[in-house]
């Protein structure tokens, strides 16, 4: 297992739409292991493959609290099959947009169908933080980021800040 560098704004790769995975094999399981290691090291509660530059429809999650035993989840080709009627407001962060938090209202329950790391089809009914995180990560697979929930004015401000940071990092 290796940790991989996490792409950050304004990297255009983050806007790519990821392609479905064709086969769950050892190569994919190796990618999932690297993603988990990268997510835990960051630390974060979720990471999509595109965030390490791999445009495949895969993400990993672990929303357990500190001190609880870890419960890593690997979702391959996830698809939302149902969204509940209630909503939940949560201040979301993103490993690709450090130090930015956006309050987002999303359905509070979600049912997701996916393939697990052994290649089995699974269905998961999630609520609360897990439901929020699943929707956040599926957005990544479609090239959508939390800043897209902001007004265009605020979004431009954030993007400008990151472009400026990227430029000054280059000259140093
Ligand atoms: Zn994110």
């Amino acid at each position: 297992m290796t940790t991989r560098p996490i792409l950050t704004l304004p990297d255009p790769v983050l806007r790519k739409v990821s392609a479905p995975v064709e086969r769950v094999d050892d190569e994919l399981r190796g990618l999932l292991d690297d993603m988990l290691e990268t997510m835990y090291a960051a630390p974060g509660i979720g990471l999509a493959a595109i965030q390490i530059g791999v445009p495949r429809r895969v993400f990993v999650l672990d929303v357990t609290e500190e001190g609880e035993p870890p419960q890593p989840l690997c979702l391959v080709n996830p698809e939302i099959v149902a969204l509940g009627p209630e909503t939940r407001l949560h201040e979301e962060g993103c490993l690709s947009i450090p130090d930015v938090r956006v309050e987002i209202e999303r359905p509070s329950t979600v049912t997701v169908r996916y393939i697990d790391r052994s290649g089995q089809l699974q269905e998961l009914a999630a609520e609360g933080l897990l439901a929020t995180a699943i929707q956040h990560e599926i957005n990544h697979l479609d090239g959508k980021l939390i800043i897209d929930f902001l007004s265009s004015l605020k979004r431009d401000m954030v993007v400008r800040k990151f472009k400026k940071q990227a430029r000054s990092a280059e000259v140093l």
Side-chain angles (χ1 to χ4, degrees):
M1 282 200 268
T2 8
T3 61
R4 310 239 204 134
I6 297 175
L7 306 183
T8 54
L9 216 64
D11 197 313
V13 172
L14 291 168
R15 292 304 193 174
K16 273 196 166 183
V17 176
S18 297
V21 169
E22 297 195 346
R23 192 175 331 113
V24 178
D25 53 13
D26 286 344
E27 187 265 329
L28 184 79
R29 279 183 281 272
L31 171 69
L32 291 167
D33 288 341
D34 284 359
M35 287 168 63
L36 282 169
E37 180 147 320
T38 305
M39 177 187 79
Y40 285 126
I45 61 169
L47 185 78
I50 193 70
Q51 292 179 275
I52 55 166
V54 180
R56 299 168 85 182
R57 299 189 80 82
V58 194
F59 65 81
V60 295
L61 278 179
D62 190 342
V63 299
T64 48
E65 307 253 336
E66 227 184 294
E68 288 181 48
Q71 276 183 43
L73 278 171
C74 299
L75 286 82
V76 178
N77 295 346
E79 265 182 67
I80 290 179
V81 290
L83 290 167
E86 311 281 313
T87 59
R88 173 177 193 268
L89 198 62
H90 187 74
E91 209 181 37
E92 298 180 28
C94 181
L95 291 175
S96 294
I97 315 173
D99 303 323
V100 171
R101 303 194 76 85
V102 181
E103 205 170 60
I104 299 174
E105 190 175 4
R106 303 184 189 263
S108 61
T109 56
V110 59
T111 305
V112 64
R113 197 175 289 156
Y114 64 98
I115 298 167
D116 68 16
R117 56 179 296 142
S118 59
Q120 298 296 308
L121 190 65
Q122 302 281 354
E123 205 168 275
L124 171 70
E127 57 175 21
L129 181 59
L130 183 59
T132 296
I134 286 170
Q135 293 169 76
H136 175 121
E137 297 309 328
I138 286 181
N139 281 168
H140 274 299
L141 307 185
D142 295 320
K144 188 169 178 174
L145 301 169
I146 53 172
I147 52 169
D148 300 342
F149 291 85
L150 294 169
S151 67
S152 58
L153 188 74
K154 281 190 185 162
R155 183 169 60 240
D156 289 349
M157 275 170 58
V158 174
V159 173
R160 261 204 305 278
K161 194 183 113 192
F162 277 87
K163 279 187 177 158
K164 214 169 136 188
Q165 277 173 2
R167 269 202 305 275
S168 55
E170 273 164 21
V171 291
L172 284 174

